[in-house]
Amino acid sequence: MEVLSIYPKSIDVRAIERAVDIIRKGGVIIYPTDSNPALAADSLNPQAIATLCRLKGIDPAKQTLSIVCDSIAQAAQYARIDNRAFDIIRRNLPGPFTFILPPVAALPKQFKHRKQVGVRVPDNDIARALAEELGHPIVSGSLGNVDPFELESQVELMITDAMADADEPRQSTAIVSLLDSSNPEILREGPSELN
């Protein structure tokens, strides 16, 4: 597995292009977020999504899949965001939140028979740069406490945040359901409180 260390405030465009080239070809990479490192694949490629789910050990038919977007505007192309939901999202993103929203038809079959999709816009320039360069969201799966090097033979590339403290404990994102935006429901607490 190739490892690229990127400074988030001075992003190496060639490194992002290399990572996105792997994603476009159906590969899975490891990348940093504002919470735990995560796996990334092309959200519009069903085979890539299946590979990511296999690496995570999850059944996509039973698990809510999450997409990482470069902005709220990009997120609005793949999830239904009404005015109340938009107001909540705008106050909290970018940040360590996963918002559960109804998906739209632009997502592939792994999302179409689902009534929800997790949407993230991380407070991490590297994560957002990947989605921006790809031109659409990446599907993402947190590594949690898994050592990325356990996946060394199955993942072609790992991007690390050159400024991150490897010993700093990471907390998973808060998960907030906005399926009924008039009554947001916190499904999991995270490192930041909902504004």
Side-chain angles (χ1 to χ4, degrees), residues 98-150:
T98 300
F99 289 103
I100 306 299
L101 293 158
V104 299
L107 290 168
K109 66 180 182 180
Q110 282 83 349
F111 295 92
K112 286 183 181 161
H113 302 297
R114 309 289 309 217
K115 295 182 179 168
Q116 58 192 31
V117 61
V119 173
R120 293 207 60 216
V121 180
D123 187 14
N124 180 288
D125 293 331
I126 297 167
R128 292 194 313 273
L130 290 168
E132 182 178 10
E133 177 67 23
L134 185 61
H136 55 266
I138 53 177
V139 65
S140 183
S142 173
L143 287 178
N145 295 322
V146 173
D147 180 350
F149 289 99
E150 289 180 25

Side-chain angles (χ1 to χ4, degrees), residues 25 30 35 57 72 85 135 151 170 177:
K25 291 177 179 173
I30 297 171
S35 58
I72 297 170
L151 301 172
R170 295 292 194 159
S177 175

Side-chain angles (χ1 to χ4, degrees), residues 19 22 33 50 54 67 79 101 127 134 143 161 174 180 190:
I22 292 168
T33 71
R54 180 182 53 75
I67 57 173
L101 293 158
L134 185 61
L143 287 178
D161 183 333
D180 175 3

